[in-house]
Amino acid sequence: MVVAVQADDILASKSSSSSMLTGIGGRASKRARLNLFKLFADSDEQPQSSSQAKQRAPSLCPVLPIEILDNIFQLLTQRQMHPLLSANSFMYGVARRRVYHTIVIDSPLRCVSFLKNVLSNPELPPLVRSLDLYIAQADMKAQANSNSDSTAGNSTSSTSAFLSTPSHFTFNFYSLLNRALRAMHSLLSLSIELPKSHSPVWIFSGCTFKLRQFTTSMHCHFSLARFLEKQEMVEELTLRGFQTESLFLLPFLGAAAASLVTFGVGQMIGAANTAFNTANNGGNSSSSGTGIDSTSPLSFTLSPSALPHLKSFNAIHAGPSIIQTIMQDRSVEIASIPLFPERGIPTLDALESGRAPLKRLSVISFDPGAPEFLFEELAKRFKDLEALHLVLLMADYSHVSCVPQRQNMFF
């Protein structure tokens, strides 16, 4: 339409001079007509080129910036992200970064598969920023499946359940985990929950990541303290492991629990932990001072400069000495602690040793006498609390049962 209007204007402007061109001579008139046709031809090529541009094949790079796509991909689940990995090369790069950003594994078999996959491609380990390994929870599930399958006579499923039981983790498994952690130098958050009898802190040997959040079920011993000394960027710390001082205060755990702390998981893991302690102690593993040796496996001490950015501390089974070690002169504003029988006041004293006033506090009490002193002591010590969560587990009970008696009842 635009070209036609332009042609009409040109013809109108040229029509007044056409007689003059013809009068001057045929050659001049012919040359003028050729120039005019050439002008029409150039005008006709414009819409052709624009239409061809519109019909051009789409580019692999979308119009949206990568940052916008990354924010959109955050709203998708892992299952929804998988089709994007096979869309094209550009989408694969963006989607892969989001898929490996946060990893949550609750199965030993899946853990082994993931570690092998990550180590097979050197581009994958730096993409992992958050790693959660809850493979200790599968212990009871695997044993339950093994029992049910053996009752039903299913030997194949029973073998699979046996292999996935964390209590049968070998030194090779932890070596594989160590190699993967060394490659994940961009890791910011790590949660690792292993069987209660396993505390292989040596798997952190050679790791260069700087964590912001760290959760572990390993025992609070010398090896773990040396690892925390090097993690100066940690802001949130959760210790779920059984400590020596708390195990003996829980009679329902029995004598077997104490042996877990005393003897560890075996000679191989114990030797590896010893080598890790020596390497992180400047090659010196000799004792120093009086009382419990500072390099003893049962000691847990931190230098005053350790964990300078710690803001949140969660203790699941820690006693007063562990809480004192973490809280001493540190600006912890959020805390979660247990109270054991006859250890309530010392635990609150240790919690009060922090440098900053507590803002949020969660307390789980195993002390039947806690209601008699807990509220008064908390109000006296922590006047700046903004949130308080209390869980009181009472040990006393009556002889009257609300459940009807049945034969073969399991508790």
Side-chain angles (χ1 to χ4, degrees):
M1 184 66 181
V2 177
V3 177
V5 173
Q6 292 178 350
D8 292 340
D9 295 340
I10 295 174
L11 287 174
S13 63
K14 296 298 182 178
S15 60
S16 59
S17 58
S18 60
S19 58
M20 180 182 65
L21 292 174
T22 306
I24 295 175
R27 292 183 179 178
S29 177
K30 189 180 295 184
R31 186 180 298 110
R33 286 196 295 271
L34 291 175
N35 292 334
L36 184 61
F37 292 153
K38 183 178 179 181
L39 180 61
F40 287 157
D42 294 338
S43 300
D44 292 340
E45 290 177 359
Q46 291 291 341
Q48 263 186 338
S49 61
S50 62
S51 63
Q52 291 175 357
K54 292 181 180 179
Q55 297 175 0
R56 188 179 304 166
S59 174
L60 293 178
C61 299
V63 179
L64 294 176
I66 298 180
E67 293 79 8
I68 300 299
L69 291 175
D70 193 65
N71 290 333
I72 295 175
F73 290 170
Q74 290 182 13
L75 305 177
L76 303 179
T77 63
Q78 289 285 347
R79 185 179 297 273
Q80 294 171 338
M81 290 289 296
H82 290 165
L84 298 175
L85 295 173
S86 57
N88 55 52
S89 59
F90 179 83
M91 298 294 286
Y92 169 77
V94 180
R96 184 184 65 171
R97 183 176 58 186
R98 177 52 51 187
V99 167
Y100 284 91
H101 182 277
T102 302
I103 303 297
V104 180
I105 298 178
D106 58 359
S107 168
L109 296 180
R110 288 185 56 225
C111 181
V112 173
S113 176
F114 166 75
L115 296 178
K116 290 183 177 180
N117 180 40
V118 165
L119 291 174
S120 64
N121 187 349
E123 296 181 357
L124 296 181
L127 300 179
V128 182
R129 300 302 179 89
S130 177
L131 179 61
D132 296 348
L133 301 179
Y134 298 104
I135 49 182
Q137 299 296 335
D139 196 354
M140 292 185 295
K141 295 180 181 179
Q143 291 179 356
N145 294 335
S146 177
N147 294 334
S148 61
D149 292 334
S150 60
T151 303
N154 189 346
S155 59
T156 304
S157 301
S158 178
T159 303
S160 177
F162 176 83
L163 293 176
S164 62
T165 304
S167 59
H168 298 97
F169 284 176
T170 63
F171 186 82
N172 291 336
F173 169 79
Y174 289 122
S175 298
L176 178 66
L177 181 58
N178 170 249
R179 286 189 283 121
L181 291 175
R182 290 203 310 265
M184 299 177 188
H185 52 78
S186 300
L187 198 63
L188 298 177
S189 176
L190 176 61
S191 298
I192 178 168
E193 185 169 353
L194 302 173
K196 295 181 177 63
S197 59
H198 293 195
S199 188
V201 187
W202 59 269
I203 62 175
F204 302 128
S205 178
C207 296
T208 58
F209 49 70
K210 298 297 182 181
L211 299 176
R212 302 291 179 84
Q213 185 274 336
F214 180 53
T215 299
T216 181
S217 61
M218 299 181 185
H219 307 312
C220 287
H221 292 165
F222 177 79
S223 302
L224 184 61
R226 300 288 73 77
F227 170 71
L228 294 177
E229 290 276 357
K230 296 186 176 182
Q231 296 298 319
E232 65 272 7
M233 301 303 297
V234 170
E235 299 177 359
E236 180 180 350
L237 176 63
T238 300
L239 301 178
R240 303 180 60 88
F242 285 88
Q243 282 74 42
T244 306
E245 60 182 5
S246 64
L247 284 175
F248 297 103
L249 299 177
L250 299 177
F252 55 84
L253 292 178
S259 64
L260 298 180
V261 176
T262 305
F263 299 106
V265 297
Q267 295 181 354
M268 297 183 69
I269 292 180
N273 280 341
T274 302
F276 176 81
N277 296 341
T278 305
N280 287 272
N281 197 34
N284 182 16
S285 59
S286 59
S287 60
S288 60
T290 59
I292 297 178
D293 181 8
S294 61
T295 61
S296 170
L298 297 182
S299 66
F300 184 80
T301 58
L302 294 174
S303 64
S305 60
L307 303 176
H309 301 286
L310 187 64
K311 298 296 182 182
S312 177
F313 171 57
N314 303 311
I316 308 303
H317 302 101
S321 64
I322 302 298
I323 296 176
Q324 176 79 22
T325 300
I326 299 296
M327 295 292 300
Q328 185 70 42
D329 296 330
R330 292 182 176 86
S331 302
V332 179
E333 299 179 353
I334 303 174
S336 177
I337 61 169
L339 289 183
F340 297 103
E342 302 180 359
R343 293 293 187 274
I345 298 300
T347 300
L348 296 179
D349 291 339
L351 188 63
E352 196 179 9
S353 63
R355 183 172 55 189
L358 281 179
K359 301 295 184 182
R360 304 174 65 89
L361 176 61
S362 297
V363 177
I364 177 171
S365 174
F366 301 92
D367 188 356
E372 301 177 0
F373 66 88
L374 185 57
F375 290 96
E376 181 181 356
E377 292 294 334
L378 291 178
K380 180 176 61 177
R381 298 167 185 269
F382 310 108
K383 300 181 180 180
D384 296 324
L385 277 181
E386 299 176 356
L388 176 62
H389 179 216
L390 297 179
V391 178
L392 302 179
L393 302 181
M394 308 302 295
D396 52 345
Y397 54 89
S398 64
H399 66 281
V400 179
S401 175
C402 297
V403 180
Q405 297 293 330
R406 297 179 183 178
Q407 293 182 353
N408 299 327
M409 182 176 295
F410 296 94
F411 294 93

